[in-house]
Amino acid sequence: MSWQAVRVDTNTEAVEFVCDLLISVGADGVQIDEKNGISVIAYYEENDQLSYILANIQARLQSLSRIAVDPSPATVHVSGISQSDWENNWKKYYHAQRITRHLTVVPSWETFKSQQSEEMPIIMDPQLTFGTGTHETTRLMMQALETVVRGGESMIDVGTGSGVLAVAAKLLGVRSVLATDIDDISVKVAKENLMLNPIATDIKVITSDLLLNVDTQPVDLIVANILADVIERLIPQTISRLKPTGYFLVSGIYDAIAPHIEEQLHINGFEIVQKSQMGEWHSYITQIKEK
């Protein structure tokens, strides 16, 4: 078994957040190096999951800004290979992956031929900092969508990132989707990915801090696959924007924080209809409790 050292250059104020981040994506422990500035080092097994771990680290570093944490310079090095070299070569590790019974994520540069009639491709050019759409948290959310979607629903995708869940929802039969992200660059990337999927070109993507800039009628579904700290702030915002019989689907929650998120859901009047887990990651299908 071989391992790769992943080093993230950061700053004193953000070092604890970066440590937690690296552990949350699979490191058994971390090492803090203060020789030249401050860096956090973690080790990951060198296998076919390493590219997804690196993509997730990049995405989560970017997402720290959503909780007012600046991890700069936030550069990532892999066993002495610079970030720019990795970004130029990571695509060779990213191939089509069957995520659920119906959904397969396919990179835009790869030719894809469906093996079964029920298999539906989601075409993605995610760019390293926005993830590949194949992490456990995304898999859990797609499974949750397959569970609740019946066709014709309206939906808000909060923190859309690459746009993968918005596309998945349309393929499964959701009628209308509004996607949001706090970052203008994320919005741009999501729009580019939506254009790769003809079924998703009518999805509207806006810049918004969670649901603060969203002005719509209540919807059937709200989905969020984001950092757990941000989910806590999102939960109360969903109540007025969700139909009484609607579903709030949430993922991105790791073991240590899951009990707290469950408590916050209950405090805000949500009932957990289904709880799923993949590794240390948790997802929830919830509804507002009947009064």
PDB file of all heavy atoms in Angstrom, residues 7-33:
ATOM      1  N   ARG A   7      -0.519  18.468   1.260  1.00  0.00           N
ATOM      2  CA  ARG A   7      -0.221  19.633   2.095  1.00  0.00           C
ATOM      3  C   ARG A   7      -1.062  20.815   1.646  1.00  0.00           C
ATOM      4  O   ARG A   7      -1.096  21.145   0.462  1.00  0.00           O
ATOM      5  CB  ARG A   7       1.257  20.011   2.004  1.00  0.00           C
ATOM      6  CG  ARG A   7       1.659  21.082   3.013  1.00  0.00           C
ATOM      7  CD  ARG A   7       3.118  21.494   2.895  1.00  0.00           C
ATOM      8  NE  ARG A   7       3.285  22.579   1.929  1.00  0.00           N
ATOM      9  CZ  ARG A   7       4.038  22.508   0.843  1.00  0.00           C
ATOM     10  NH1 ARG A   7       4.699  21.397   0.563  1.00  0.00           N
ATOM     11  NH2 ARG A   7       4.145  23.550   0.027  1.00  0.00           N
ATOM     12  N   VAL A   8      -1.728  21.441   2.600  1.00  0.00           N
ATOM     13  CA  VAL A   8      -2.525  22.638   2.319  1.00  0.00           C
ATOM     14  C   VAL A   8      -1.881  23.823   3.025  1.00  0.00           C
ATOM     15  O   VAL A   8      -1.729  23.822   4.252  1.00  0.00           O
ATOM     16  CB  VAL A   8      -3.980  22.481   2.807  1.00  0.00           C
ATOM     17  CG1 VAL A   8      -4.768  23.759   2.531  1.00  0.00           C
ATOM     18  CG2 VAL A   8      -4.643  21.290   2.132  1.00  0.00           C
ATOM     19  N   ASP A   9      -1.472  24.820   2.260  1.00  0.00           N
ATOM     20  CA  ASP A   9      -0.919  26.049   2.827  1.00  0.00           C
ATOM     21  C   ASP A   9      -2.066  26.955   3.252  1.00  0.00           C
ATOM     22  O   ASP A   9      -2.983  27.224   2.469  1.00  0.00           O
ATOM     23  CB  ASP A   9      -0.054  26.771   1.794  1.00  0.00           C
ATOM     24  CG  ASP A   9       1.121  25.922   1.329  1.00  0.00           C
ATOM     25  OD1 ASP A   9       1.597  25.093   2.140  1.00  0.00           O
ATOM     26  OD2 ASP A   9       1.539  26.078   0.179  1.00  0.00           O
ATOM     27  N   THR A  10      -2.016  27.427   4.497  1.00  0.00           N
ATOM     28  CA  THR A  10      -3.120  28.233   5.003  1.00  0.00           C
ATOM     29  C   THR A  10      -2.583  29.317   5.937  1.00  0.00           C
ATOM     30  O   THR A  10      -1.458  29.777   5.780  1.00  0.00           O
ATOM     31  CB  THR A  10      -4.170  27.327   5.685  1.00  0.00           C
ATOM     32  OG1 THR A  10      -5.292  28.115   6.056  1.00  0.00           O
ATOM     33  CG2 THR A  10      -3.614  26.583   6.880  1.00  0.00           C
ATOM     34  N   ASN A  11      -3.376  29.733   6.905  1.00  0.00           N
ATOM     35  CA  ASN A  11      -2.967  30.770   7.844  1.00  0.00           C
ATOM     36  C   ASN A  11      -3.412  30.401   9.249  1.00  0.00           C
ATOM     37  O   ASN A  11      -4.200  29.464   9.439  1.00  0.00           O
ATOM     38  CB  ASN A  11      -3.525  32.138   7.426  1.00  0.00           C
ATOM     39  CG  ASN A  11      -5.049  32.133   7.366  1.00  0.00           C
ATOM     40  OD1 ASN A  11      -5.714  32.137   8.402  1.00  0.00           O
ATOM     41  ND2 ASN A  11      -5.603  32.096   6.152  1.00  0.00           N
ATOM     42  N   THR A  12      -2.912  31.130  10.230  1.00  0.00           N
ATOM     43  CA  THR A  12      -3.156  30.778  11.631  1.00  0.00           C
ATOM     44  C   THR A  12      -4.635  30.756  11.979  1.00  0.00           C
ATOM     45  O   THR A  12      -5.110  29.850  12.676  1.00  0.00           O
ATOM     46  CB  THR A  12      -2.432  31.779  12.547  1.00  0.00           C
ATOM     47  OG1 THR A  12      -1.041  31.788  12.224  1.00  0.00           O
ATOM     48  CG2 THR A  12      -2.592  31.391  14.010  1.00  0.00           C
ATOM     49  N   GLU A  13      -5.400  31.735  11.480  1.00  0.00           N
ATOM     50  CA  GLU A  13      -6.813  31.834  11.828  1.00  0.00           C
ATOM     51  C   GLU A  13      -7.628  30.654  11.289  1.00  0.00           C
ATOM     52  O   GLU A  13      -8.628  30.248  11.892  1.00  0.00           O
ATOM     53  CB  GLU A  13      -7.408  33.149  11.308  1.00  0.00           C
ATOM     54  CG  GLU A  13      -6.955  34.393  12.056  1.00  0.00           C
ATOM     55  CD  GLU A  13      -5.522  34.784  11.744  1.00  0.00           C
ATOM     56  OE1 GLU A  13      -4.996  34.322  10.700  1.00  0.00           O
ATOM     57  OE2 GLU A  13      -4.926  35.526  12.535  1.00  0.00           O
ATOM     58  N   ALA A  14      -7.201  30.108  10.158  1.00  0.00           N
ATOM     59  CA  ALA A  14      -7.996  29.056   9.504  1.00  0.00           C
ATOM     60  C   ALA A  14      -7.457  27.659   9.739  1.00  0.00           C
ATOM     61  O   ALA A  14      -8.067  26.681   9.286  1.00  0.00           O
ATOM     62  CB  ALA A  14      -8.067  29.325   8.000  1.00  0.00           C
ATOM     63  N   VAL A  15      -6.340  27.514  10.451  1.00  0.00           N
ATOM     64  CA  VAL A  15      -5.669  26.216  10.509  1.00  0.00           C
ATOM     65  C   VAL A  15      -6.568  25.132  11.115  1.00  0.00           C
ATOM     66  O   VAL A  15      -6.571  23.983  10.640  1.00  0.00           O
ATOM     67  CB  VAL A  15      -4.328  26.326  11.272  1.00  0.00           C
ATOM     68  CG1 VAL A  15      -4.540  26.671  12.733  1.00  0.00           C
ATOM     69  CG2 VAL A  15      -3.524  25.045  11.116  1.00  0.00           C
ATOM     70  N   GLU A  16      -7.357  25.445  12.143  1.00  0.00           N
ATOM     71  CA  GLU A  16      -8.220  24.428  12.746  1.00  0.00           C
ATOM     72  C   GLU A  16      -9.306  23.975  11.771  1.00  0.00           C
ATOM     73  O   GLU A  16      -9.653  22.784  11.729  1.00  0.00           O
ATOM     74  CB  GLU A  16      -8.845  24.967  14.033  1.00  0.00           C
ATOM     75  CG  GLU A  16      -7.843  25.132  15.162  1.00  0.00           C
ATOM     76  CD  GLU A  16      -8.505  25.501  16.469  1.00  0.00           C
ATOM     77  OE1 GLU A  16      -9.751  25.429  16.546  1.00  0.00           O
ATOM     78  OE2 GLU A  16      -7.786  25.836  17.420  1.00  0.00           O
ATOM     79  N   PHE A  17      -9.832  24.915  10.994  1.00  0.00           N
ATOM     80  CA  PHE A  17     -10.852  24.554  10.009  1.00  0.00           C
ATOM     81  C   PHE A  17     -10.264  23.634   8.939  1.00  0.00           C
ATOM     82  O   PHE A  17     -10.909  22.685   8.495  1.00  0.00           O
ATOM     83  CB  PHE A  17     -11.426  25.814   9.358  1.00  0.00           C
ATOM     84  CG  PHE A  17     -12.259  26.645  10.285  1.00  0.00           C
ATOM     85  CD1 PHE A  17     -11.691  27.675  11.016  1.00  0.00           C
ATOM     86  CD2 PHE A  17     -13.614  26.394  10.435  1.00  0.00           C
ATOM     87  CE1 PHE A  17     -12.457  28.443  11.879  1.00  0.00           C
ATOM     88  CE2 PHE A  17     -14.392  27.150  11.290  1.00  0.00           C
ATOM     89  CZ  PHE A  17     -13.814  28.186  12.022  1.00  0.00           C
ATOM     90  N   VAL A  18      -9.028  23.928   8.512  1.00  0.00           N
ATOM     91  CA  VAL A  18      -8.379  23.104   7.495  1.00  0.00           C
ATOM     92  C   VAL A  18      -8.083  21.712   8.054  1.00  0.00           C
ATOM     93  O   VAL A  18      -8.253  20.698   7.358  1.00  0.00           O
ATOM     94  CB  VAL A  18      -7.100  23.783   6.970  1.00  0.00           C
ATOM     95  CG1 VAL A  18      -6.352  22.854   6.010  1.00  0.00           C
ATOM     96  CG2 VAL A  18      -7.445  25.091   6.261  1.00  0.00           C
ATOM     97  N   CYS A  19      -7.654  21.643   9.308  1.00  0.00           N
ATOM     98  CA  CYS A  19      -7.434  20.328   9.941  1.00  0.00           C
ATOM     99  C   CYS A  19      -8.722  19.500   9.929  1.00  0.00           C
ATOM    100  O   CYS A  19      -8.718  18.323   9.548  1.00  0.00           O
ATOM    101  CB  CYS A  19      -6.946  20.517  11.379  1.00  0.00           C
ATOM    102  SG  CYS A  19      -5.270  21.154  11.540  1.00  0.00           S
ATOM    103  N   ASP A  20      -9.814  20.116  10.353  1.00  0.00           N
ATOM    104  CA  ASP A  20     -11.099  19.410  10.372  1.00  0.00           C
ATOM    105  C   ASP A  20     -11.509  18.973   8.973  1.00  0.00           C
ATOM    106  O   ASP A  20     -12.043  17.879   8.775  1.00  0.00           O
ATOM    107  CB  ASP A  20     -12.186  20.303  10.969  1.00  0.00           C
ATOM    108  CG  ASP A  20     -12.008  20.513  12.468  1.00  0.00           C
ATOM    109  OD1 ASP A  20     -11.256  19.746  13.085  1.00  0.00           O
ATOM    110  OD2 ASP A  20     -12.614  21.459  13.004  1.00  0.00           O
ATOM    111  N   LEU A  21     -11.264  19.846   7.998  1.00  0.00           N
ATOM    112  CA  LEU A  21     -11.614  19.550   6.606  1.00  0.00           C
ATOM    113  C   LEU A  21     -10.886  18.311   6.114  1.00  0.00           C
ATOM    114  O   LEU A  21     -11.498  17.405   5.533  1.00  0.00           O
ATOM    115  CB  LEU A  21     -11.277  20.761   5.745  1.00  0.00           C
ATOM    116  CG  LEU A  21     -11.615  20.763   4.256  1.00  0.00           C
ATOM    117  CD1 LEU A  21     -11.682  22.209   3.763  1.00  0.00           C
ATOM    118  CD2 LEU A  21     -10.584  20.013   3.427  1.00  0.00           C
ATOM    119  N   LEU A  22      -9.562  18.242   6.352  1.00  0.00           N
ATOM    120  CA  LEU A  22      -8.777  17.111   5.860  1.00  0.00           C
ATOM    121  C   LEU A  22      -9.188  15.806   6.542  1.00  0.00           C
ATOM    122  O   LEU A  22      -9.212  14.747   5.910  1.00  0.00           O
ATOM    123  CB  LEU A  22      -7.286  17.376   6.066  1.00  0.00           C
ATOM    124  CG  LEU A  22      -6.704  18.523   5.231  1.00  0.00           C
ATOM    125  CD1 LEU A  22      -5.249  18.777   5.600  1.00  0.00           C
ATOM    126  CD2 LEU A  22      -6.829  18.241   3.741  1.00  0.00           C
ATOM    127  N   ILE A  23      -9.526  15.883   7.818  1.00  0.00           N
ATOM    128  CA  ILE A  23      -9.996  14.692   8.525  1.00  0.00           C
ATOM    129  C   ILE A  23     -11.355  14.269   8.001  1.00  0.00           C
ATOM    130  O   ILE A  23     -11.645  13.081   7.832  1.00  0.00           O
ATOM    131  CB  ILE A  23     -10.039  14.955  10.041  1.00  0.00           C
ATOM    132  CG1 ILE A  23      -8.599  15.078  10.578  1.00  0.00           C
ATOM    133  CG2 ILE A  23     -10.782  13.838  10.774  1.00  0.00           C
ATOM    134  CD1 ILE A  23      -8.511  15.526  12.016  1.00  0.00           C
ATOM    135  N   SER A  24     -12.212  15.253   7.689  1.00  0.00           N
ATOM    136  CA  SER A  24     -13.568  14.930   7.229  1.00  0.00           C
ATOM    137  C   SER A  24     -13.584  14.237   5.878  1.00  0.00           C
ATOM    138  O   SER A  24     -14.567  13.574   5.531  1.00  0.00           O
ATOM    139  CB  SER A  24     -14.416  16.203   7.161  1.00  0.00           C
ATOM    140  OG  SER A  24     -14.064  17.006   6.048  1.00  0.00           O
ATOM    141  N   VAL A  25     -12.497  14.365   5.086  1.00  0.00           N
ATOM    142  CA  VAL A  25     -12.446  13.676   3.796  1.00  0.00           C
ATOM    143  C   VAL A  25     -11.560  12.431   3.847  1.00  0.00           C
ATOM    144  O   VAL A  25     -11.132  11.931   2.815  1.00  0.00           O
ATOM    145  CB  VAL A  25     -12.003  14.612   2.648  1.00  0.00           C
ATOM    146  CG1 VAL A  25     -13.011  15.715   2.437  1.00  0.00           C
ATOM    147  CG2 VAL A  25     -10.608  15.188   2.887  1.00  0.00           C
ATOM    148  N   GLY A  26     -11.279  11.936   5.059  1.00  0.00           N
ATOM    149  CA  GLY A  26     -10.680  10.616   5.145  1.00  0.00           C
ATOM    150  C   GLY A  26      -9.320  10.478   5.777  1.00  0.00           C
ATOM    151  O   GLY A  26      -8.817   9.359   5.915  1.00  0.00           O
ATOM    152  N   ALA A  27      -8.683  11.584   6.195  1.00  0.00           N
ATOM    153  CA  ALA A  27      -7.377  11.467   6.846  1.00  0.00           C
ATOM    154  C   ALA A  27      -7.556  10.958   8.272  1.00  0.00           C
ATOM    155  O   ALA A  27      -8.490  11.361   8.975  1.00  0.00           O
ATOM    156  CB  ALA A  27      -6.664  12.813   6.863  1.00  0.00           C
ATOM    157  N   ASP A  28      -6.658  10.074   8.716  1.00  0.00           N
ATOM    158  CA  ASP A  28      -6.719   9.575  10.086  1.00  0.00           C
ATOM    159  C   ASP A  28      -6.198  10.605  11.080  1.00  0.00           C
ATOM    160  O   ASP A  28      -6.533  10.571  12.260  1.00  0.00           O
ATOM    161  CB  ASP A  28      -5.909   8.287  10.221  1.00  0.00           C
ATOM    162  CG  ASP A  28      -6.569   7.123   9.497  1.00  0.00           C
ATOM    163  OD1 ASP A  28      -7.806   7.112   9.407  1.00  0.00           O
ATOM    164  OD2 ASP A  28      -5.837   6.250   9.000  1.00  0.00           O
ATOM    165  N   GLY A  29      -5.361  11.490  10.608  1.00  0.00           N
ATOM    166  CA  GLY A  29      -4.793  12.537  11.446  1.00  0.00           C
ATOM    167  C   GLY A  29      -4.093  13.560  10.576  1.00  0.00           C
ATOM    168  O   GLY A  29      -3.980  13.381   9.363  1.00  0.00           O
ATOM    169  N   VAL A  30      -3.644  14.650  11.201  1.00  0.00           N
ATOM    170  CA  VAL A  30      -2.971  15.704  10.441  1.00  0.00           C
ATOM    171  C   VAL A  30      -1.713  16.143  11.169  1.00  0.00           C
ATOM    172  O   VAL A  30      -1.550  15.911  12.371  1.00  0.00           O
ATOM    173  CB  VAL A  30      -3.893  16.929  10.229  1.00  0.00           C
ATOM    174  CG1 VAL A  30      -5.101  16.570   9.382  1.00  0.00           C
ATOM    175  CG2 VAL A  30      -4.331  17.527  11.559  1.00  0.00           C
ATOM    176  N   GLN A  31      -0.846  16.783  10.416  1.00  0.00           N
ATOM    177  CA  GLN A  31       0.396  17.336  10.949  1.00  0.00           C
ATOM    178  C   GLN A  31       0.450  18.811  10.575  1.00  0.00           C
ATOM    179  O   GLN A  31       0.195  19.178   9.428  1.00  0.00           O
ATOM    180  CB  GLN A  31       1.597  16.594  10.349  1.00  0.00           C
ATOM    181  CG  GLN A  31       2.950  17.191  10.679  1.00  0.00           C
ATOM    182  CD  GLN A  31       4.062  16.483   9.917  1.00  0.00           C
ATOM    183  OE1 GLN A  31       3.844  15.434   9.328  1.00  0.00           O
ATOM    184  NE2 GLN A  31       5.234  17.084   9.920  1.00  0.00           N
ATOM    185  N   ILE A  32       0.765  19.661  11.538  1.00  0.00           N
ATOM    186  CA  ILE A  32       0.870  21.099  11.277  1.00  0.00           C
ATOM    187  C   ILE A  32       2.343  21.471  11.150  1.00  0.00           C
ATOM    188  O   ILE A  32       3.154  21.165  12.036  1.00  0.00           O
ATOM    189  CB  ILE A  32       0.202  21.918  12.396  1.00  0.00           C
ATOM    190  CG1 ILE A  32      -1.288  21.581  12.459  1.00  0.00           C
ATOM    191  CG2 ILE A  32       0.395  23.417  12.163  1.00  0.00           C
ATOM    192  CD1 ILE A  32      -2.016  22.230  13.617  1.00  0.00           C
ATOM    193  N   ASP A  33       2.690  22.103  10.039  1.00  0.00           N
ATOM    194  CA  ASP A  33       4.068  22.500   9.739  1.00  0.00           C
ATOM    195  C   ASP A  33       4.136  24.023   9.736  1.00  0.00           C
ATOM    196  O   ASP A  33       3.450  24.689   8.967  1.00  0.00           O
ATOM    197  CB  ASP A  33       4.471  21.942   8.368  1.00  0.00           C
ATOM    198  CG  ASP A  33       5.930  22.238   8.021  1.00  0.00           C
ATOM    199  OD1 ASP A  33       6.582  22.962   8.801  1.00  0.00           O
ATOM    200  OD2 ASP A  33       6.392  21.764   6.976  1.00  0.00           O
TER     201      ASP A  33
END
